[in-house]
Amino acid sequence: MALEELLDKVGGLGKFQILQMALTFPFYMIVVCHSLLENFTAAVPGHRCWVHILDNAIVSDNDTGILSPDVLLRISIPLDSNFKPEKCRHFLHPQWQLLHLNGTFPNMTDLDTEPCVDGWVFDHSLFSFTIVTEWDLVCDHQSQKSMVQSLFMAGMLVGSFIYGHLSDRFGRKLILRCCLLQLAISGICAAFAPTFLIYCLLRFWSGCSAVAIVSNNSMLIVAWVRAQSKATVITLIACALSIGQMMLGGLAFVFREWCTLQLVVSVPFFLTALVTAPFIRWLVESARWLIITNKPDEGLKGLRIVAHRNGMKNAEATLNMEGLRATMQEQLEAAQTKTTVFDLFRTPNLRKRICLLSFARFANTVPYFGIFMNLQHFGSNIFLFQVIFGALTISARCFALLVLNHMGRRLTQMLLMFLVGLFILANMFVPQEMQTLRLTLASVGMGCVAAAVSSNSVHNSELMPTLLRAKASGLNMMASRCGAALAPLLMTVVVYLPTLPWIIYGVCLILAGLLILLLPETRNMPLLDTIQDVENK
């Protein structure tokens, strides 16, 4: 906690912090594009079976030239319950008698059909090519489409655990630099993946690095911001993610081929990796982490750099080892003890905090990704929906900042999670025909859940001690990734009860909102540095 005094001396929110955010915000925007990329690269276009009489150019030109494509389609593809051509079956033989029914519809179950044995014909009007058309991920293979997104989320789950540990051991800057290069390589290689399996493995690898880029960037920024401004800075970080969501909608509208879009969101990381030296030099390693890991000389050097960049010349003269030891004696003594992720669960107060915060993050993430990963359910213009949802989350996160600064962390989270839960449960009683109302409720709920996630991030950073903050952030992110991976799986229970997934979403959110009240309030409180600080509080 004593480091807050030093931050006030070197400038808790000055030129250095603003420039650091300006340098790192573009990476948030591009990383979130990777997280939601399958909304577009794995979009499912309209499709039907490839049939010889209709799609073989030689046959169509010579033998059936007097028949229109619509007529050939009618005798080749059965109709579904909505009187649309079936997507996964075709007639075993052309049904010429269907040409003489004068608009009546026979019982299609009496006619012999079979699955698509010769492939599919896809509608390329919305997307030129997607991974669905590349590897025929439809009909019996449609579950493989969701596997890609699940593997990316699983990569984020694994990466948050591995890189959280490595960041606490080797520092935020080194791991950030490695992950920028890793995401560049895996993203570019994914655009040229020869098989679906290799593509899935590369997306898993991308997920591992994407989560580390977000978490390490956040820790580097937040570590140099005074307590009174942390909520504002974390909200700005969340808004950068929302801008990235909007940017993805625009990029996907321009680049309709999946491999081109994959390259567009990956090449910037590769270019950054090539010129990363000046970029990394501007970032300063967390003084908290340096001091806590028994590197006070480097921590003191970082404090002087920040004071110089913020124009605090008087502070540079007073920053010396004697003053540092006098100010942070307790933290320097704690630095002699090595910590592991299990230390988060050894003491009662810290164990309660990490469990409740992780459950709240999990409960928030499930409906967030349940909606965001299924934009095609809201209509055909998924580019517009992506932009709208991004804009709504920006507004909601700014609103959450105002509420956080007036109502505190606990009440804000509880209010937002209650609202999301109520919107989800209310949507169950809205008929499917009322699409506008359903979309409105989903949009407002999306905004509230984004604001709740931002509030949870603020609360998490203020409740966890510096000694374990990266590990706690990694564990909190793991809970988030578990929720993201579970979101599409929960939708499979609709075969038992159509409203069951939404009941689970809503009840979990309301329960998590109540449990948040068991955590202490942290508004305008200094950050904690050691486990003992947590237990003393």
Side-chain angles (χ1 to χ4, degrees):
M1 291 186 290
L3 190 62
E4 294 295 330
E5 302 173 18
L6 297 176
L7 279 179
D8 287 335
K9 290 182 180 180
V10 303
L13 187 61
K15 177 183 176 182
F16 165 77
Q17 287 85 356
I18 294 173
L19 184 57
Q20 187 168 252
M21 285 188 284
L23 286 171
T24 57
F25 276 11
F27 295 98
Y28 288 110
M29 299 176 193
I30 302 178
V31 165
V32 79
C33 290
H34 278 270
S35 300
L36 301 173
L37 199 58
E38 270 74 31
N39 268 342
F40 304 97
T41 59
V44 182
H47 56 277
R48 60 169 176 79
C49 294
W50 187 96
V51 290
H52 183 73
I53 194 174
L54 177 60
D55 301 302
N56 188 305
I58 298 177
V59 173
S60 297
D61 291 340
N62 296 336
D63 299 337
T64 60
I66 60 173
L67 300 177
S68 68
D70 290 338
V71 171
L72 293 175
L73 180 65
R74 185 177 183 184
I75 65 174
S76 304
I77 306 293
L79 302 180
D80 60 18
S81 57
N82 295 318
F83 303 110
K84 301 289 185 181
E86 279 277 1
K87 296 180 177 181
C88 300
R89 301 190 70 83
H90 70 97
F91 290 127
L92 193 58
H93 304 287
Q95 303 298 316
W96 298 102
Q97 72 275 15
L98 296 179
L99 299 178
H100 309 289
L101 294 176
N102 297 324
T104 61
F105 295 95
N107 186 0
M108 294 294 180
T109 58
D110 296 335
L111 304 177
D112 294 331
T113 63
E114 66 176 354
C116 303
V117 293
D118 296 316
W120 289 264
V121 174
F122 294 96
D123 178 9
H124 296 288
S125 60
L126 192 60
F127 293 98
S128 299
F129 296 99
T130 69
I131 65 170
V132 173
T133 63
E134 182 85 9
W135 291 296
D136 292 337
L137 306 181
V138 292
C139 298
D140 293 339
H141 305 287
Q142 62 183 346
S143 60
Q144 297 180 24
K145 170 187 173 293
S146 59
M147 185 196 341
V148 180
Q149 188 71 48
S150 297
L151 282 172
F152 183 87
M153 295 301 172
M156 297 187 81
L157 176 63
V158 173
S160 61
F161 179 77
I162 295 176
Y163 288 120
H165 173 73
L166 294 178
S167 296
D168 277 341
R169 184 171 181 179
F170 299 107
R172 284 65 162 135
K173 283 177 61 176
L174 176 62
I175 300 303
L176 174 61
R177 187 172 187 174
C178 293
C179 289
L180 285 172
L181 182 60
Q182 178 179 317
L183 184 58
I185 295 173
S186 59
I188 292 174
C189 290
F192 301 100
T195 65
F196 179 65
L197 177 60
I198 293 176
Y199 176 79
C200 290
L201 293 175
L202 289 169
R203 288 295 290 160
F204 176 86
W205 191 21
S206 295
C208 291
S209 51
V211 68
I213 292 172
V214 172
S215 59
N216 282 281
N217 262 337
S218 300
M219 286 186 286
L220 282 173
I221 293 174
V222 173
W224 288 107
V225 178
R226 64 191 178 196
Q228 295 86 346
S229 304
K230 289 188 186 298
T232 301
V233 170
I234 291 176
T235 301
L236 289 175
I237 291 173
C239 288
L241 296 175
S242 297
I243 293 173
Q245 296 169 9
M246 299 171 63
M247 184 175 70
L248 176 60
L251 291 174
F253 181 78
V254 175
F255 303 101
R256 302 294 181 95
E257 293 187 3
W258 74 269
C259 50
T260 305
L261 182 59
Q262 179 80 41
L263 284 173
V264 166
V265 299
S266 301
V267 169
F269 285 108
F270 185 73
L271 297 177
T272 301
L274 294 177
V275 295
T276 189
F279 166 74
I280 293 295
R281 188 160 52 242
W282 257 102
L283 295 178
V284 179
E285 185 61 83
S286 167
R288 290 180 183 275
W289 177 82
L290 290 169
I291 295 170
I292 290 300
T293 53
N294 204 22
K295 299 176 183 177
D297 292 333
E298 296 182 35
L300 190 61
K301 180 181 177 181
L303 288 166
R304 288 170 177 165
I305 291 174
V306 175
H308 173 72
R309 292 179 182 172
N310 280 337
M312 310 291 285
K313 297 182 179 179
N314 295 333
E316 292 185 63
T318 60
L319 290 172
N320 51 59
M321 188 57 66
E322 291 75 16
L324 182 65
R325 292 188 182 279
T327 306
M328 302 192 66
Q329 183 62 38
E330 183 180 350
Q331 288 75 17
L332 290 170
E333 292 176 358
Q336 308 305 317
T337 304
K338 298 298 181 182
T339 62
T340 68
V341 69
F342 299 106
D343 289 315
L344 289 167
F345 302 93
R346 295 191 191 280
T347 57
N349 284 339
L350 194 56
R351 181 169 58 246
K352 181 179 76 172
R353 292 182 181 192
I354 193 64
C355 289
L356 292 178
L357 285 169
S358 297
F359 178 70
R361 186 61 177 268
F362 172 85
N364 280 319
T365 305
V366 172
Y368 183 83
F369 280 94
I371 296 174
F372 244 130
M373 290 165 57
N374 293 281
L375 292 184
Q376 280 191 300
H377 289 197
F378 295 100
S380 59
N381 197 344
I382 59 177
F383 311 105
L384 180 61
F385 294 149
Q386 183 77 48
V387 174
I388 290 175
F389 282 172
L392 283 171
T393 54
I394 291 177
S395 304
R397 282 163 172 160
C398 293
F399 169 75
L401 174 62
L402 297 176
V403 181
L404 279 172
N405 290 332
H406 287 85
M407 294 179 57
R409 284 39 170 164
R410 294 188 308 168
L411 290 178
T412 299
Q413 286 187 82
M414 185 194 72
L415 173 64
L416 289 171
M417 284 190 279
F418 264 54
L419 286 175
V420 178
L422 291 175
F423 280 128
I424 289 175
L425 295 176
N427 218 349
M428 296 189 310
F429 301 99
V430 179
Q432 290 286 343
E433 295 76 21
M434 302 178 67
Q435 287 296 317
T436 302
L437 179 57
R438 292 176 65 84
L439 179 60
T440 301
L441 289 174
S443 301
V444 177
M446 176 62 71
C448 289
V449 77
V453 171
S454 298
S455 304
N456 181 271
S457 299
V458 172
H459 210 192
N460 182 73
S461 67
E462 295 175 346
L463 282 173
M464 292 296 114
T466 300
L467 198 62
L468 292 165
R469 186 165 294 125
K471 293 182 177 67
S473 177
L475 197 62
N476 192 260
M477 190 63 71
M478 285 179 65
S480 174
R481 295 312 111 196
C482 286
L486 185 63
L489 297 179
L490 278 177
M491 296 306 296
T492 61
V493 302
V494 296
V495 297
Y496 306 106
L497 181 65
T499 58
L500 186 56
W502 305 105
I503 293 175
I504 296 174
Y505 294 166
V507 171
C508 284
L509 278 165
I510 293 174
L511 178 61
L514 291 173
L515 292 176
I516 284 295
L517 295 178
L518 300 176
L519 292 171
E521 179 56 58
T522 58
R523 181 178 53 164
N524 294 331
M525 298 293 290
L527 288 182
L528 307 171
D529 290 320
T530 66
I531 297 176
Q532 194 59 43
D533 287 339
V534 175
E535 297 308 310
N536 290 341
K537 294 293 285 185

